[in-house]
């Protein structure tokens, strides 16, 4: 039986289309993926992301312990700041990509992917090294209000001055009278907030945000739009674009791997890989022929398979077909060309700069 | 969900409008709704032969890829070419603007395998359970 978030009844009642996602009954769309995508780019959309997991590190060993499990450098993360990075195996393979919310050196919340809740907790608690590691995944509901209108809408419901909460910063406070972690984070490329709240209050918070957002025409949005929004930003999706057999260097996440920060699991393997040369890289590409690239399609060069597409869609904002693919490093430079096999046909593709979509200023 | 009386339907959710030896083909309201926003379409060329039950094209929504199956065999005599640039017409108007191809049937007896409105409606309802 699939798991359900505290908002399942709300989704079902409001006519969302429900699908199975990583063992969760989740809304894939409300009014339609394209509508919701556009709403987030131009106004705001509200997402239920309560399926995400939360693992908390506490105690005097919390920071030191998590530093050894996380590729990015938490000594550069201030209290009240969030930081993106990976958890890696000794091999450098990615256990998960996560966001760490540093509430203090002795209190750090790790937000993990839904599909990896158990795997991550087992991995993290198995390497606790004296820290008190707790799986709080069932103790949090999580809503994401994303889009240019998001801040104005949340501000109507809280006395916290949101202009003082910068990007990738967070604070705590009441929203609609509900105690929340108010984080200026997200997965869409737009300004917005992720609100962590008690699960029993998630439905009340959902209703309050939609009500407060009526004048801005805020809409509920599903996983379909979340996926097209993140892909336009070339944000990686664990399980599609990377897994236990890919390293952050291969996945284009070298910017969150701080090899000089001190010891952490996977560092030696990645240092070796960097010295030897990364054999394949995840690149962003656009199709110059008709068609839509999809996860699993082959990358061809001179008719031979040399790589694989990990994500692809027709970008709703750009109206072009975009995707991410693993290719040999020799083909990874911007402007390199290859083909994507679509139903037996070779569709021409070109490596481009990411993000695919840039917010208008 | 709208299923016009004058059409015949397949269990793969295509519809067929027969006029003499010609059959106009598209996908049903149920199919477009299940697919979601349609963003890409591949159709055969005029003159191509299609065979009953075999794929004649592909339709892609934001989330899925689906084959289109020919309700009858024959030669493609017309293609709704503007649809390639405006595939959303399939969502908006699956039975008129969203028609896909016209087939000159080689064996009109094949039509007897298609479903009338009531039978198709029942099939869709049972499918949903």
């Amino acid at each position: 039986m699939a798991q359900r978030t505290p908002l399942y009844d709300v989704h079902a009642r409001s006519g969302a289309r429900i699908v199975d996602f990583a063992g969760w009954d989740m809304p894939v769309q409300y009014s339609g993926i394209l509508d919701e995508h556009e709403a987030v780019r131009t106004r705001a959309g509200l997402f239920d992301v309560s399926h995400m997991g939360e693992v908390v590190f506490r105690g005097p060993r919390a920071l030191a312990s998590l530093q050894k499990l996380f590729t990015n450098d938490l000594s550069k993360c201030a209290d009240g700041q969030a930081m993106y990075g990976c958890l890696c195996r000794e091999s450098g393979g990615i256990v998960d990509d996560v966001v760490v919310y540093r509430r203090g050196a002795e209190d750090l919340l790790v937000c993990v992917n839904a599909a990896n809740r158990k795997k991550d907790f087992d991995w993290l608690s198995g390497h606790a090294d004296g820290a008190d590691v707790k799986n709080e995944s069932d103790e949090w509901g999580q809503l994401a209000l994303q889009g240019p209108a998001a801040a104005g809408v949340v501000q109507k419901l809280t006395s916290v001055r949101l202009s003082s909460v910068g990007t990738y910063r967070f604070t705590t406070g009441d929203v609609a009278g509900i105690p929340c972690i108010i984080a200026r984070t997200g997965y869409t490329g737009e300004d917005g907030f992720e609100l962590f709240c008690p699960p029993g209050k998630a439905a009340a918070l959902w209703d309050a945000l939609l009500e407060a957002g009526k004048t801005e025409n805020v809409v509920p949005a599903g996983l379909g739009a979340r996926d097209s929004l993140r892909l336009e930003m070339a944000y990686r999706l664990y399980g599609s674009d990377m897994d236990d057999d890919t390293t952050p260097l291969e996945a284009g996440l070298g910017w969150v791997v701080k090899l000089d920060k001190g010891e952490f699991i996977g560092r030696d393997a990645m240092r070796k890989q960097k010295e030897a040369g990364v054999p394949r890289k995840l690149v962003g590409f656009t199709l110059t022929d008709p068609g839509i690239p999809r996860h699993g399609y082959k990358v061809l060069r001179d008719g031979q398979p040399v790589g694989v597409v990990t994500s692809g869609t027709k970008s709703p904002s750009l109206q072009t077909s975009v995707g991410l693919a693993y290719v040999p490093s020799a083909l990874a430079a911007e402007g390199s060309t290859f083909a994507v096999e679509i139903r037996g046909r070779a569709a021409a593709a070109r490596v481009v700069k990411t993000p695919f979509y840039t917010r208008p200023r | 969900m709208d299923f016009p009386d004058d059409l015949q339907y397949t269990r793969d959710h295509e519809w067929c409008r027969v006029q003499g030896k010609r059959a106009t083909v598209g996908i049903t309201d149920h199919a477009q709704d299940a697919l979601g926003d349609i963003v890409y379409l591949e159709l055969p060329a005029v003159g191509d032969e299609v065979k009953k039950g075999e794929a004649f094209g592909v339709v892609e929504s934001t989330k899925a890829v689906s084959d289109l199956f020919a309700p009858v065999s024959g030669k493609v005599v017309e293609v709704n070419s503007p649809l390639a640039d405006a595939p959303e017409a399939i969502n908006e108007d699956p039975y008129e603007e969203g028609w896909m191809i016209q087939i000159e049937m080689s064996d009109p007896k094949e039509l007897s395998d298609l479903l009338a409105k009531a039978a198709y409606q029942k099939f869709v309802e049972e499918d949903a359970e």
Side-chain angles (χ1 to χ4, degrees):
Chain A
M1 158 111 182
Q3 302 189 75
R4 291 175 172 180
T5 77
L7 287 164
Y8 175 82
D9 289 340
V10 175
H11 302 316
R13 203 185 326 125
S14 22
R17 185 164 296 163
I18 307 289
V19 298
D20 176 81
F21 174 79
W24 290 78
D25 279 339
M26 294 297 290
V28 64
Q29 67 171 57
Y30 276 85
S31 57
I33 293 172
L34 297 180
D35 268 358
E36 295 161 26
H37 184 108
E38 203 229 342
V40 172
R41 287 276 180 254
T42 57
R43 308 187 307 274
L46 181 62
F47 299 85
D48 175 17
V49 288
S50 302
H51 59 316
M52 304 288 285
E54 295 83 9
V55 178
V56 180
F57 278 59
R58 289 196 183 87
R61 294 282 306 149
L63 179 61
S65 163
L66 191 51
Q67 271 283 55
K68 289 200 173 158
L69 287 157
F70 189 57
T71 59
N72 211 335
D73 186 359
L74 291 168
S75 73
K76 301 274 162 59
C77 183
D79 293 350
Q81 194 173 2
M83 187 176 255
Y84 175 70
C86 294
L87 312 174
C88 286
R89 301 187 181 282
E90 288 292 354
S91 64
I94 303 171
V95 176
D96 202 2
D97 66 327
V98 302
V99 175
V100 174
Y101 295 83
R102 179 172 163 160
R103 295 189 283 203
E106 300 193 9
D107 185 4
L108 301 106
L109 184 150
V110 186
C111 182
V112 308
N113 280 298
N116 295 339
R117 274 181 172 202
K118 182 171 187 315
K119 181 177 93 162
D120 286 8
F121 177 68
D122 290 348
W123 177 257
L124 293 168
S125 57
H127 296 85
D129 194 22
D132 169 24
V133 180
K134 194 168 164 229
N135 189 352
E136 295 192 356
S137 297
D138 292 331
E139 294 167 37
W140 294 98
Q142 205 187 129
L143 306 187
L145 187 69
Q146 300 278 303
V153 172
V154 178
Q155 190 65 78
K156 293 182 200 176
L157 299 173
T158 184
S159 57
V160 172
R161 203 160 53 90
L162 296 178
S163 57
S164 64
V165 182
T167 302
Y168 258 67
R169 302 274 169 166
F170 66 95
T171 187
T172 54
D174 282 5
V175 179
I178 295 160
C180 292
I181 298 174
I182 305 170
R184 203 158 200 150
T185 50
Y187 193 48
T188 62
E190 297 298 328
D191 185 26
F193 289 86
E194 290 176 310
L195 305 172
F196 298 73
C197 67
K201 303 281 189 188
L205 183 58
W206 175 272
D207 290 341
L209 287 164
L210 285 180
E211 182 62 33
K214 256 189 182 154
T215 43
E216 289 83 356
N217 200 5
V218 170
V219 300
L223 293 182
R226 188 168 158 83
D227 191 56
S228 55
L229 289 158
R230 70 92 192 167
L231 185 50
E232 285 186 339
M233 299 307 295
Y235 293 158
R236 280 73 173 133
L237 173 64
Y238 192 88
S240 285
D241 304 314
M242 53 202 180
D243 56 28
D244 292 280
D245 296 321
T246 49
T247 72
L249 302 183
E250 293 165 345
L253 296 176
W255 61 281
V256 296
V257 177
K258 300 294 151 69
L259 292 171
D260 298 326
K261 76 164 190 176
E263 203 181 309
F264 62 91
I265 299 178
R267 182 185 69 161
D268 295 346
M270 279 188 271
R271 185 168 275 166
K272 272 188 200 133
Q273 188 178 49
K274 198 172 180 182
E275 281 162 10
V278 180
R280 57 173 182 165
K281 285 183 182 157
L282 193 68
V283 297
F285 66 89
T286 60
L287 278 193
T288 47
D289 278 341
I292 299 177
R294 303 276 182 183
H295 177 85
Y297 285 8
K298 286 179 191 147
V299 170
L300 306 175
R301 177 83 176 181
D302 302 325
Q304 295 303 307
V306 294
V308 64
V309 173
T310 57
S311 287
T313 194
K314 182 170 174 191
S315 157
S317 304
L318 304 171
Q319 289 295 306
T320 55
S321 285
V322 301
L324 300 173
Y326 279 106
V327 299
S329 292
L331 290 179
E334 196 187 329
S336 299
T337 56
F338 52 79
V340 173
E341 187 178 77
I342 303 179
R343 296 181 284 277
R345 169 172 67 85
R350 184 160 41 86
V351 178
V352 297
K353 236 193 222 107
T354 53
F356 301 107
Y357 173 81
T358 321
R359 227 192 286 172
R361 284 179 184 275
Chain B
M1 211 68 71
D2 174 32
F3 306 123
D5 287 322
D6 62 327
L7 305 183
Q8 293 171 278
Y9 302 88
T10 72
R11 289 177 176 79
D12 298 311
H13 308 289
E14 286 85 15
W15 57 262
C16 195
R17 180 180 289 124
V18 179
Q19 287 159 307
K21 283 201 76 178
R22 290 194 167 196
T24 305
V25 176
I27 63 170
T28 68
D29 199 17
H30 171 73
Q32 70 77 19
D33 181 67
L35 282 164
D37 294 315
I38 292 169
V39 293
Y40 184 75
L41 184 68
E42 273 178 18
L43 294 178
V46 169
D48 285 359
E49 294 283 338
V50 297
K51 205 165 163 225
K52 175 175 178 279
E54 293 188 0
F56 70 83
V58 171
V59 64
E60 297 197 32
S61 69
T62 38
K63 55 179 192 261
V65 183
S66 286
D67 281 325
L68 300 164
F69 296 99
V72 291
S73 308
K75 193 204 282 192
V76 177
V77 289
E78 268 196 75
V79 175
N80 187 359
S81 330
L83 215 49
D85 290 324
E88 64 275 11
I90 301 165
N91 292 118
E92 288 155 10
D93 188 5
Y95 301 115
E96 299 293 339
E97 291 267 307
W99 73 274
M100 294 174 176
I101 59 171
Q102 204 170 75
I103 300 169
E104 189 161 274
M105 291 181 281
S106 55
D107 182 8
K109 286 198 297 295
E110 288 175 346
L111 288 171
S112 63
D113 292 338
L114 301 183
L115 304 175
K117 173 192 170 153
Y120 177 68
Q121 199 155 18
K122 190 155 170 279
F123 176 72
V124 168
E125 279 158 15
E126 281 166 4
D127 212 29
E129 279 163 16

